[in-house]
Amino acid sequence: MSYKDFEEYNIQVTDDVTDRYKKIIEDLGENTERDGLLKTPERAAKAMQFLTQGYHQDPVEILKSAMFKESYNEMVIVKDIELYSLCEHHILPFFGKAHIAYIPNGHIVGLSKLPRIVDVFARRLQVQERLTEQILDCINDTLKPQGVAVVIEASHMCMMMRGVQKQNSVTTTSGFRGQFEKIETRNEFLKLIGK
Ligand SMILES: [Zn+2]
């Protein structure tokens, strides 16, 4: 086998979270000895560790690992980046798309690194507004481009399943630095992502 993808979990954390999930499921009125639920606390514990793995990853390192000297100085756009995160108020998912653009200033970054840093920040307890700012600041401070723009469009399960039950509402957040603070540059970007 030339390639093997594997998941590794901290046993102590998994055991602790598993015990607590068992208690939560019981407190909610379920029987954790029921056949279908026997392994659920452990599966949930592992799922949550996966979904919050961003706490243990360094987005600056990820960007720095693939920065290249390059004189290209036109807008670079990666759009429709799939995004899955957890709202920190309800620990329910929010999901959608991120669109990122930057204008290089002597360095470009490997294109696959932009979705990677979206994941690093999304796989934490988040609010969409902070997620947008963190991606923006990370690219701005690390790559030091002439400008950077981030737009996130997401649906929030805490709005759709509970609360106001607005099934089709999409929340849009955006942030702009440098050249993108100029209205023409910003509009060009928004047009290119279809906004
Ligand atoms: Zn929420």
Side-chain angles (χ1 to χ4, degrees), residues 86-94 126 156-159 162:
L86 290 169
C87 112
E88 68 183 15
H89 302 131
H90 305 93
I91 319 189
L92 286 172
F94 66 93
Q126 274 290 8
H156 291 247
M157 294 308 274
C158 61
M159 279 181 77
R162 59 170 292 289

Side-chain angles (χ1 to χ4, degrees), residues 24-124:
I24 290 168
I25 294 167
E26 284 162 0
D27 285 349
L28 294 174
E30 257 290 5
N31 169 19
T32 50
E33 301 305 313
R34 190 158 70 71
D35 219 33
L37 289 183
L38 278 177
K39 297 277 277 174
T40 297
E42 186 188 333
R43 276 192 296 261
K46 287 180 172 171
M48 285 306 290
Q49 284 181 83
F50 181 88
L51 297 174
T52 57
Q53 64 182 278
Y55 290 120
H56 313 290
Q57 296 167 336
D58 183 348
V60 173
E61 277 310 304
I62 290 169
L63 281 185
K64 280 187 174 164
S65 72
M67 275 172 56
F68 309 101
K69 261 206 182 89
E70 196 62 61
S71 59
Y72 184 84
N73 61 4
E74 300 294 328
M75 195 182 297
V76 178
I77 302 180
V78 180
K79 65 175 191 173
D80 296 329
I81 300 168
E82 269 181 77
L83 172 146
Y84 298 94
S85 190
L86 290 169
C87 112
E88 68 183 15
H89 302 131
H90 305 93
I91 319 189
L92 286 172
F94 66 93
F95 59 94
K97 286 172 178 171
H99 314 286
I100 300 176
Y102 73 96
I103 301 170
N105 189 16
H107 287 88
I108 56 166
V109 67
L111 290 177
S112 68
K113 301 304 172 191
L114 297 175
R116 286 274 316 275
I117 69 155
V118 169
D119 278 345
V120 169
F121 288 116
R123 286 174 176 161
R124 302 176 183 196

Side-chain angles (χ1 to χ4, degrees), residues 142-177:
T142 309
L143 195 59
K144 301 189 185 347
Q146 296 182 57
V148 55
V150 176
V151 170
I152 294 178
E153 305 168 284
S155 302
H156 291 247
M157 294 308 274
C158 61
M159 279 181 77
M160 297 163 78
M161 292 180 71
R162 59 170 292 289
V164 290
Q165 298 192 2
K166 292 292 181 223
Q167 311 296 338
N168 296 311
S169 69
V170 172
T171 304
T172 303
T173 47
S174 59
F176 306 96
R177 297 274 192 276

